Amino acid sequence: MAETLVRLIPSGGFVCRKGDRAEHWIGIVSGLVKVSSVSPEGKPTTFIGVPSGGWFGEGALLKRESRRYDAIALRSSVVAYMPRNTFFLLLDTNVHFNRFLLVQLNERLGQFVAMVEHQRFLRPDARVAAELAALFNPVLYPGNHSILPISQEELGPLLGLSRQRVNSALHRLERAGLLTVDYGGVTVKDVQGLREYAG
DNA sequence: ACATTAACAGGAA
DNA sequence: TTCCTGTTAATGT
């Protein structure tokens, strides 16, 4: 804790940039951060949203590479930067830290496999439901409450759908009583229901 | 069919 | 003023 620095990143600010040297392991204390990239044609895409409690960026640290993706705060966020030396010291000396990291990696791998599964098998409405539920993974993102402060404008690229399609899906899910649609975000009322939603 | 892009008006921050 | 939402029309697969 003494060596980890904590910074407040304003909404829209960079948490880290593609191409940066990776000097820290990054944790979200509060707020919401998107991990994204830009295609060769110039189209921006978001890969994951990381809410409070989530850690990322260990890949570039472990492989001693530069950052592969941008991370941008979707709203004002408190971000913890653990220096590489601290990260490797803990990795070399602390069993609990290793276990924590292993569980993180395992859960994230499961999240990505599920994401591919959803994209191949589910219709857009069900995909929106499934991915919203995934943002409430209790292992990866402990201590989340039910309000998900992410606009439909950001949700579209995150889910690989147009904003308009996301809008219609959200309203269908709202009519099903699983969530409510607010300005700039959604309030999840029934995570289990979202998981089980099939259209 | 069904999703996407483009465009626009009205509301929120 | 800028961003977000809800909606429609045109377009594409």
Side-chain angles (χ1 to χ4, degrees):
Chain A
M1 284 181 69
E3 293 167 8
T4 297
L5 37 129
V6 175
R7 298 213 318 242
L8 178 67
I9 308 291
S11 179
F14 279 89
V15 172
C16 67
R17 284 173 188 269
K18 185 175 182 174
D20 280 354
R21 275 190 59 196
E23 299 293 344
H24 300 91
W25 193 37
I26 300 170
I28 309 307
V29 179
S30 70
L32 183 65
V33 168
K34 67 173 176 182
V35 177
S36 58
S37 183
V38 182
S39 76
E41 296 80 33
K43 289 191 174 182
T45 325
T46 303
F47 299 112
I48 44 170
V50 186
S52 56
W55 288 82
F56 65 93
E58 68 284 336
L61 217 48
L62 286 166
K63 289 184 286 185
R64 299 176 188 280
E65 287 178 344
S66 54
R67 303 241 96 109
R68 311 273 295 252
Y69 309 106
D70 291 320
I72 298 166
L74 288 179
R75 41 196 307 118
S76 176
S77 300
V78 178
V79 179
Y81 294 84
M82 180 188 290
R84 97 169 322 129
N85 287 345
T86 311
F87 179 83
F88 278 106
L89 177 68
L90 287 169
L91 200 61
D92 290 341
T93 59
N94 190 307
V95 173
H96 297 295
F97 183 81
N98 277 274
R99 170 69 67 122
F100 180 83
L101 188 57
L102 187 61
V103 169
Q104 280 277 315
L105 293 177
N106 184 49
E107 287 293 328
R108 179 134 67 238
L109 180 59
Q111 187 189 6
F112 273 96
V113 172
M115 199 185 293
V116 173
E117 184 180 27
H118 297 155
Q119 278 186 14
R120 297 195 180 166
F121 292 153
L122 298 182
R123 0 193 64 262
D125 286 343
R127 254 163 71 196
V128 173
E131 296 305 330
L132 284 179
L135 281 175
F136 283 86
N137 179 325
V139 176
L140 234 36
Y141 312 121
N144 270 328
H145 39 343
S146 60
I147 54 164
L148 197 55
I150 179 169
S151 71
Q152 297 171 18
E153 219 165 13
E154 292 291 351
L155 219 40
L158 175 59
L159 302 176
L161 294 167
S162 66
R163 178 178 70 77
Q164 293 85 336
R165 191 60 187 79
V166 167
N167 179 272
S168 120
L170 286 179
H171 283 289
R172 208 163 302 182
L173 295 173
E174 183 173 48
R175 264 178 266 124
L178 300 176
L179 51 79
T180 55
V181 181
D182 321 315
Y183 183 84
V186 297
T187 304
V188 174
K189 289 159 69 178
D190 183 358
V191 187
Q192 196 54 37
L194 283 177
R195 273 190 200 107
E196 292 162 359
Y197 187 85

